[in-house]
Each structure stands twice: as C-alpha cells, then as structure tokens.
Amino acid sequence: MTTLPGMKEYDSVKLSSGEVFCRDHYKLLKDRGYTLRKRYDPDWIPSWIHTSKNRLNCEDALPINVRTACRTLGDFPYVSAVEQHYWTLDATRADGSIVVLKRVDIETPQNEIPILDHLSSRAFSSNSRNHCVPILEIINPPQGSNTAFIVMPLLFDVDIPPI
C-alpha cells in the first residue's frame, strides 16, 4: 500500500486516541440519554468484517472528521497527518433527534460553559439579536474527570450545508 505525500495510512479497525476517549465515555453518555455511533460502543465489532462489504461504504469504518477527507480522496484509505481532536461529536438523543456534543475542559479559564449557559437562558434566548446555538443540556464531568459535555441541536448536516 502506498501513501500520498503529507498523508498517513489509516487503519479503520483501530481507534485513535480521540476515539478511545469517545469509547470510554460511551456508557456515561448513554446513561444520560445520548447514543454515540456504533464505532464508539465498547462492544463494537466492525460491520464489514466477515462480509463482502467495502469498508469505505460502511458508516462505522470512518471516524466523523475523516469522512470528508476520504470522500474527497475517493477510495484511498488515508487521512491527513494533522492530529484529529474530537472536540465535537454527533449523537442520537433518546427522543431520536440528532444532537452535537461538544467536549469542554472545565479547568480552562475560558468560562465557555457559564457564558453559553447565560446566552441560552430564557431572557437571552428570546432576543432576536442572539444568534448563539441554544444549549440543550450541560453534562457535568463524572468524579475524577475535568471533561464536561455541552449538548446542542444539530442545525444542519455538515456534508450538505444550506444554500
């Protein structure tokens, strides 16, 4: 298998460190009513194993932020050499709606959660000049962790932006 300049080979069965984080938080999020993609289920078995399916046609073969890169490159199983960060991830809420989970380190001095919570308050969310994405829920970190999750509605499919 050859690699393209600036690209590294991608192993679709192996989870990256960012994906391991998602897998490790799968149960916490599931218990709160949010289901991540099958790829991040701790009991995940790749859907193309022992089948004649092309793995690139399987939803669970590619992490979210690699889909566009592979689609752009065609059938090449490569991803950008740039480290993937997994700060946002889609999930399905218990009511069937698709949401976006944003991972936030509560020890950073940016005050992101209080600011977003304030802008999502009843007083501000009804203001027509407030264009912030509403916060549906804030999932506080479990004991011993400094990672919280901000739950927001999925406004549109990033692969098909509105015109």
Side-chain angles (χ1 to χ4, degrees):
M1 204 180 276
T2 59
T3 59
L4 300 173
M7 306 298 267
K8 64 181 180 180
E9 187 175 323
Y10 174 68
D11 181 354
S12 55
V13 174
K14 184 179 178 197
L15 298 177
S16 69
S17 60
E19 291 178 294
V20 168
F21 175 88
C22 296
R23 182 204 59 207
D24 292 347
H25 287 80
Y26 186 91
K27 183 172 176 5
L28 167 77
L29 295 168
K30 181 88 169 171
D31 290 347
R32 293 297 299 263
Y34 301 97
T35 304
L36 300 179
R37 292 173 181 257
K38 292 177 188 174
R39 181 176 179 83
Y40 306 119
D41 184 328
D43 298 322
W44 173 62
I45 297 172
S47 64
W48 64 92
I49 300 292
H50 306 299
T51 71
S52 59
K53 295 179 186 175
N54 178 338
R55 67 185 166 85
L56 293 179
N57 291 330
C58 298
E59 186 272 336
D60 62 334
L62 303 172
I64 291 171
N65 53 356
V66 174
R67 286 180 210 295
T68 305
C70 286
R71 194 172 299 126
T72 302
L73 293 171
D75 240 6
F76 292 108
Y78 304 105
V79 295
S80 172
V82 176
E83 176 64 27
Q84 305 295 326
H85 286 292
Y86 298 91
W87 292 108
T88 60
L89 189 65
D90 67 330
T92 303
R93 198 160 68 168
D95 66 6
S97 61
I98 306 296
V99 296
V100 175
L101 303 173
K102 182 175 184 197
R103 174 180 163 184
V104 179
D105 183 346
I106 62 168
E107 293 186 352
T108 60
Q110 297 167 340
N111 297 320
E112 182 174 8
I113 291 176
I115 291 169
L116 289 173
D117 198 33
H118 181 70
L119 291 170
S120 290
S121 69
R122 188 173 304 225
F124 282 92
S125 63
S126 60
N127 187 321
S128 62
R129 294 178 294 173
N130 181 353
H131 299 287
C132 294
V133 175
I135 302 303
L136 302 174
E137 181 179 2
I138 295 170
I139 300 174
N140 291 313
Q143 188 159 352
S145 173
N146 61 342
T147 301
F149 293 93
I150 298 173
V151 182
M152 301 170 281
L154 177 67
L155 300 180
F156 62 87
D157 186 340
V158 295
D159 290 335
I160 309 168
I163 296 177

